[in-house]
Amino acid sequence: MIWGYVMRITGQPRKRGSFLRILLLGLAAARPVFAQGLTESIENALNVGGGKFNIDLRYRFEYVDQANLPEVAKADTLRARIGYLTPTFQGFQAFAEYEGTQDIFSNDYNSTWNDKTRHPVISDPQKNEVNQLWIAYSGVPETVFKVGRQRIIFDNHRFIGNVVWRQLEQTYDSIVITNTSLPDTTITAGYLWKVQDVTSRTIGMNSPVFNIAYTGFPYGKLIVHGEWLDYDNARESYPTQTFNTLSNSTQTVGVRFEGTTSLTDNIKALYAAEYAWQEDYADNPKDFKVDYWMAEGGLDLWGFVFKGSFEELGSDNGQGFRTPLATLHAFQGWADKFLVTPPDGIRDVYGTLKTSLYGVDIWFVYHDFRDDTGNIRYGEEFDVQVEKKFGKHYALLFKFADYNSSNPKAFAGNVDTQKWWLQMGISF
């Protein structure tokens, strides 16, 4: 029955790799494999020399059917990540981490590094890299200095994130200073000189950033942030793509408020609002000024979360509001049709239902996409995610995204797209 369902979705003949894929996921669901004694033995074995090793393995099958390309994309990838965090000595601590991705069954996809341009892009190339390599100093009261290649996440990942969804993580060669000396306040300031993105490209920049979060209000947290992104090169060329990174040179300042309020013992109000202003910066060839607006409200009713949201990225002079360092997969739908804001901007009105049944987390999301005036309808998208976690270290996931285009001429690549994923992860 399960096999027949998978075959109906893919329309593909039975293959040995697909059988092994289903077998792997079935074995992963077997609870005896995750026996408490084995888990504790692994945890203890990773504590070495006063520090700790981390191990992260993630298998994923991704399937993409995109209307403007003659072939579908299928990718079986295994991501391995291993690192070591030293103990703290005289206020100093260091961390080193390797990661790599390998195709293990199907590799019929455009990774942006191969020549398979008849297939849709799946941005999980076979690459090996130093993911993190940093040293931190905490000898100054309520202050931490960290320098080197590191993970940086601000707030909800909207402006700076690590793109946790893709197999290779986005990290930054940077110096970051975090201070908590003021009451209820965390001040983070950084300077980025390189970003290593999810396709293992290392892109030069000279970019100061800051984030100030204040939690002293009774109903939520106030955040002020700024990013001055100055990219080095006009063109970055790779086997199947060429990028004009200077178009991402922007200066942005924003303010965000988010919170949760208990209405009864079992009912909570959820809310968030954000505004940001952006204009061209450094060597960006275009002259523009654009706004960003977001408003979100919802209720948590006995564990059932309902949200209605509005997000608008404006446009000016053929340039849309851009957030090139964001975890973009988390915004504007999981089909990833809006990784670059269209020239006419985007207005995303969406609703979310999230709950947990018998320990299984379930998400449903619906998006309606238009330009920033609301007059041009781009399309709509339905998203579903089901995830089961086994303790702290193991997880299984199924995810589906269906984007339906209303106007293929609205911007390049605005075509019907369906994607689905099967994933299993082990992380210590």
Side-chain angles (χ1 to χ4, degrees), residues 100-280:
T101 298
Q102 178 64 48
D103 296 336
I104 55 176
F105 300 135
S106 304
N107 65 348
D108 300 321
Y109 67 101
N110 179 1
S111 72
T112 74
W113 285 90
N114 56 28
D115 293 321
K116 298 183 179 181
T117 54
R118 291 171 56 85
H119 301 269
V121 170
I122 296 177
S123 298
D124 291 326
Q126 296 188 67
K127 292 290 179 180
N128 298 276
E129 62 187 24
V130 175
N131 188 47
Q132 296 191 71
L133 183 62
W134 53 257
I135 184 168
Y137 178 67
S138 56
V140 178
E142 299 175 302
T143 303
V144 177
F145 299 84
K146 186 185 288 187
V147 62
R149 180 166 294 176
Q150 58 189 291
R151 175 184 297 135
I152 302 176
I153 299 171
F154 283 173
D155 310 317
N156 65 338
H157 298 240
R158 193 39 169 131
F159 290 87
I160 297 183
N162 65 328
V163 197
V164 64
W165 173 246
R166 298 267 43 115
Q167 295 286 58
L168 297 178
E169 187 176 19
Q170 179 167 279
T171 52
Y172 304 86
D173 292 0
S174 57
I175 180 169
V176 177
I177 304 170
T178 304
N179 179 273
T180 57
S181 59
L182 297 177
D184 304 314
T185 304
T186 300
I187 301 173
T188 304
Y191 181 81
L192 322 178
W193 60 87
K194 283 183 183 178
V195 54
Q196 181 173 267
D197 73 6
V198 298
T199 61
S200 200
R201 297 180 300 146
T202 303
I203 303 169
M205 58 170 54
N206 297 280
S207 303
V209 298
F210 79 87
N211 184 282
I212 303 172
Y214 177 71
T215 58
F217 294 112
Y219 296 107
K221 178 168 65 173
L222 179 67
I223 301 154
V224 179
H225 63 88
E227 300 83 28
W228 287 262
L229 307 183
D230 179 5
Y231 284 80
D232 287 348
N233 299 320
R235 298 178 73 82
E236 300 260 353
S237 296
Y238 291 83
T240 63
Q241 293 184 346
T242 299
F243 301 85
N244 181 355
T245 57
L246 293 185
S247 62
N248 287 328
S249 291
T250 53
Q251 52 184 329
T252 307
V253 177
V255 58
R256 177 183 177 87
F257 186 80
E258 61 186 25
T260 303
T261 299
S262 295
L263 303 178
T264 70
D265 290 343
N266 297 306
I267 301 176
K268 298 178 182 178
L270 315 171
Y271 43 85
E274 186 165 5
Y275 170 77
W277 169 83
Q278 183 179 92
E279 68 176 44
D280 57 282

Side-chain angles (χ1 to χ4, degrees), residues 45-76:
L46 294 175
N47 295 315
V48 178
K52 183 182 183 301
F53 280 98
N54 74 277
I55 296 175
D56 186 303
L57 301 175
R58 186 166 73 182
Y59 162 79
R60 176 188 291 159
F61 173 74
E62 181 168 349
Y63 177 91
V64 182
D65 186 356
Q66 189 169 303
N68 63 336
L69 292 174
E71 303 286 347
V72 300
K74 294 176 291 179
D76 280 287

Side-chain angles (χ1 to χ4, degrees), residues 228-421:
W228 287 262
L229 307 183
D230 179 5
Y231 284 80
D232 287 348
N233 299 320
R235 298 178 73 82
E236 300 260 353
S237 296
Y238 291 83
T240 63
Q241 293 184 346
T242 299
F243 301 85
N244 181 355
T245 57
L246 293 185
S247 62
N248 287 328
S249 291
T250 53
Q251 52 184 329
T252 307
V253 177
V255 58
R256 177 183 177 87
F257 186 80
E258 61 186 25
T260 303
T261 299
S262 295
L263 303 178
T264 70
D265 290 343
N266 297 306
I267 301 176
K268 298 178 182 178
L270 315 171
Y271 43 85
E274 186 165 5
Y275 170 77
W277 169 83
Q278 183 179 92
E279 68 176 44
D280 57 282
Y281 183 62
D283 294 324
N284 194 314
K286 288 195 173 183
D287 180 14
F288 62 93
K289 294 177 174 64
V290 289
D291 298 301
Y292 169 86
W293 301 88
M294 188 279 296
E296 182 175 88
L299 292 172
D300 183 339
L301 307 171
W302 293 274
F304 286 83
V305 177
F306 303 86
K307 286 185 182 180
S309 307
F310 169 92
E311 187 177 39
E312 182 176 294
L313 290 79
S315 64
D316 179 39
N317 194 24
Q319 172 86 17
F321 193 107
R322 295 195 176 195
T323 58
L325 301 183
T327 299
L328 292 166
H329 180 76
F331 303 92
Q332 273 79 67
W334 300 333
D336 290 336
K337 303 308 295 181
F338 301 95
L339 298 181
V340 177
T341 305
D344 292 320
I346 184 170
R347 180 179 295 177
D348 180 10
V349 179
Y350 57 103
T352 305
L353 168 62
K354 182 181 180 182
T355 190
S356 182
L357 298 174
Y358 304 103
V360 179
D361 296 327
I362 305 171
W363 289 51
F364 298 96
V365 187
Y366 171 76
H367 294 264
D368 180 82
F369 300 112
R370 299 173 185 265
D371 74 329
D372 61 3
T373 69
N375 295 325
I376 302 173
R377 191 168 191 262
Y378 295 149
E380 63 181 357
E381 182 169 325
F382 299 87
D383 295 330
V384 179
Q385 178 175 304
V386 180
E387 183 176 22
K388 172 63 177 176
K389 295 181 180 179
F390 302 88
K392 297 185 298 182
H393 304 293
Y394 312 97
L396 290 172
L397 177 144
F398 170 79
K399 191 169 181 175
F400 175 76
D402 184 7
Y403 176 78
N404 298 289
S405 172
S406 297
N407 187 351
K409 296 181 180 180
F411 61 88
N414 188 30
V415 296
D416 292 352
T417 301
Q418 291 78 41
K419 298 185 179 185
W420 62 273
W421 302 263

